[in-house]
Amino acid sequence: MPEKELKDFDIADVVPTRHPLKIDDTTLRDGEQTAGVVFANEEKIRIAKLLDTVGVDQIEVGIPAMGGDEKETIKKIAGMGLRASVLGWNRAVKEDIQHSIDCGVDAVAISIAVSEIHILTKLKKDRQWVLDSISKAVDFAKKHDLYVSVNAEDGSRAELDYLIEFGNNAKEAGADRLRFCDTIGVLDPFETFRVIKHLRQEVDIEIEMHTHNDFGMATANALAGVKAGATWVNTTVNGLGERAGNAALEEVVMALKYIGAVDLGYKTEMFRELSEYVAQASARNVPIWKAIVGTNVFAHESGIHADGVLKNPKTYEVFSPEEVGLARQLVVGKHSGSHSVAAKFREYGIELTPEQSQAILAEVRRTSVQLKRALFDKELMYIYKDYLERTEGKQL
Ligand code: MN
């Protein structure tokens, strides 16, 4: 690839210095909208506190217009004196926004659909009605001194010229940013980059990425948007969210740091704790292979990998496990090599000779195939004991 082209994709060049990159986390809104997920009031409060401590810039707390517990909890969170901005989600109607105002939030998302299929078949309105509704709603919110994000729902399937008109209309009405929503997750990073770059050129407003994971590209698309000039990313812990979920907070932050060279300065060492808390509160287990926070992300078994990591962790790890609140594990099983076996026994204070390591390894592999899993410490000790009895007749 020519040098010029590579430079075009250098994230450090396109993140505008006048707008430092920010994160608006929606675990408490889109995350809770996941089919079957309900957070208890105390859990919403606890998650908001954790997100604030981790360092997110804005917390999308929920939908005040739902009233009841939702509204009461949002009011509590807005009154907690968090460092982060607190944002309530609204439809583009004054009544919804009034509920947000009642809660004392400092920011609102005002959402309306912008694709033909949504405007015609869901709203049963036309494009002009959408523009007018947004103008009125934004005007109302700005009169109440709120920070306003205008959400272009299903923006990825909207006609681009209309999306530009919608963005300019929102800007004229006084909106502070435009949330570009890939509501059903149909973009790929290349198309995302193209659309957001174009949008940035045609509309003078900050752009936020709201991406869904239906094709497994939520995080990639969020980053592509950032590369194209978006300055906000909407995330959820564990990627929780409707259907296949949203861009995961922990993935976006760590990818920005290690792939994009943008360090947001978050307390990333809390990511595993936050992930576990949200997993428990949402009753959605985090797979052990989940990027960034899965328990297996720093587990090494295969002989070549474990040997490399023992010599220098950087051979097979991009960053250290402590950075996200995890620990490195050397797993001994079918794919282990003799170096891992020797290292494992060293942890128990036993120094094996190379011959002993080889002999024990053979037994480890045989047992592991039989059990169809890696071995526990106790099982390794049994193998060692049997080996000594066999070879030296020595009783332990
Ligand atoms: Mn969504």
Side-chain angles (χ1 to χ4, degrees):
M1 202 185 276
E3 206 182 313
K4 177 75 177 67
E5 224 171 307
L6 267 177
K7 203 170 163 17
D8 278 347
F9 283 77
D10 185 343
I11 202 163
D13 286 346
V14 293
V15 175
T17 46
R18 69 190 172 101
H19 296 314
L21 192 59
K22 298 189 188 88
I23 296 220
D24 166 20
D25 187 275
T26 186
T27 304
L28 296 175
R29 201 275 302 169
D30 207 317
E32 199 184 18
Q33 249 167 256
T34 308
V37 169
V38 181
F39 293 132
N41 300 345
E42 317 81 70
E43 288 169 338
K44 284 195 86 137
I45 289 166
R46 176 89 186 121
I47 291 168
K49 279 184 187 159
L50 284 167
L51 287 168
D52 190 57
T53 312
V54 162
V56 306
D57 299 276
Q58 193 168 61
I59 302 170
E60 187 168 0
V61 279
I63 308 171
M66 283 174 67
D69 280 20
E70 176 80 349
K71 192 171 176 183
E72 281 311 306
T73 309
I74 291 171
K75 203 179 277 182
K76 268 190 197 146
I77 295 172
M80 286 193 316
L82 298 180
R83 181 199 43 78
S85 160
V86 175
L87 174 140
W89 187 96
N90 309 267
R91 289 166 298 183
V93 289
K94 282 182 192 172
E95 294 72 25
D96 272 29
I97 299 164
Q98 187 56 53
H99 282 291
S100 282
I101 294 166
D102 298 344
C103 291
V105 297
D106 61 284
V108 286
I110 301 176
S111 189
I112 201 158
V114 292
S115 65
E116 287 302 283
I117 182 171
H118 277 239
I119 294 173
L120 298 177
T121 60
K122 187 183 81 176
L123 301 174
K124 299 195 187 299
K125 300 286 184 190
D126 59 25
R127 288 179 172 191
Q128 192 55 48
W129 180 88
V130 168
L131 297 179
D132 294 343
S133 302
I134 277 295
S135 295
K136 277 185 241 163
V138 172
D139 186 57
F140 181 73
K142 288 313 287 185
K143 280 196 176 117
H144 289 86
D145 291 328
L146 292 163
Y147 174 96
V148 176
S149 168
V150 164
N151 298 3
E153 191 195 359
D154 207 22
S156 54
R157 289 196 298 173
E159 195 185 290
L160 193 47
D161 284 343
Y162 179 65
L163 188 60
I164 289 164
E165 188 184 358
F166 177 85
N168 280 320
N169 178 75
K171 164 84 184 170
E172 274 163 36
D176 297 281
R177 75 168 186 243
L178 177 67
R179 178 184 288 177
F180 174 84
C181 305
D182 184 15
T183 302
I184 58 165
V186 289
L187 291 183
D188 68 33
F190 304 100
E191 182 64 4
T192 305
F193 183 87
R194 189 186 72 79
V195 172
I196 299 302
K197 198 166 187 188
H198 192 66
L199 204 54
R200 278 290 301 155
Q201 280 161 359
E202 300 297 326
V203 188
D204 183 23
I205 194 166
E206 283 199 70
I207 295 173
E208 172 184 12
M209 300 304 297
H210 177 89
T211 54
H212 273 274
N213 208 33
D214 297 73
F215 288 93
M217 286 185 274
T219 299
N221 288 340
L223 259 72
V226 169
K227 287 190 176 196
T231 47
W232 284 83
V233 183
N234 204 204
T235 62
T236 60
V237 176
N238 296 338
L240 190 67
E242 297 205 86
R243 306 180 315 280
N246 292 68
L249 169 70
E250 60 279 5
E251 293 174 18
V252 169
V253 171
M254 296 309 277
L256 279 168
K257 185 169 178 184
Y258 286 98
I259 302 174
V262 177
D263 186 354
L264 297 179
Y266 283 22
K267 286 203 175 92
T268 61
E269 63 276 14
M270 285 176 62
F271 276 168
R272 175 65 198 176
E273 178 192 346
L274 179 60
S275 164
E276 278 179 32
Y277 188 76
V278 171
Q280 172 251 310
S282 59
R284 295 290 180 274
N285 290 336
V286 176
I288 57 170
W289 61 88
K290 164 75 181 63
I292 311 297
V293 289
T295 50
N296 248 28
V297 175
F298 293 93
H300 307 282
E301 178 180 327
S302 94
I304 294 168
H305 286 226
D307 180 49
V309 166
L310 284 167
K311 286 169 179 156
N312 180 352
K314 289 254 186 289
T315 51
Y316 290 99
E317 293 172 359
V318 183
F319 50 86
S320 70
E322 294 77 22
E323 214 176 315
V324 290
L326 282 168
R328 182 175 303 119
Q329 310 164 56
L330 282 182
V331 175
V332 175
K334 180 188 169 187
H335 303 282
S336 292
S338 59
H339 285 172
S340 317
V341 170
K344 195 74 188 174
F345 277 87
R346 209 165 290 132
E347 282 177 21
Y348 311 142
I350 298 168
E351 204 59 51
L352 298 178
T353 64
E355 298 73 44
Q356 287 175 324
S357 298
Q358 281 298 343
I360 287 171
L361 176 63
E363 195 55 30
V364 162
R365 285 180 171 161
R366 200 187 62 75
T367 313
S368 186
V369 168
Q370 213 170 49
L371 297 173
K372 281 176 67 65
R373 59 166 171 78
L375 303 186
F376 299 131
D377 289 6
K378 207 173 173 182
E379 291 163 340
L380 292 173
M381 288 313 292
Y382 288 145
I383 288 174
Y384 176 63
K385 197 176 148 190
D386 288 348
Y387 168 79
L388 290 183
E389 280 176 5
R390 245 185 2 256
T391 54
E392 302 169 18
K394 185 174 168 185
Q395 297 291 321
L396 283 183

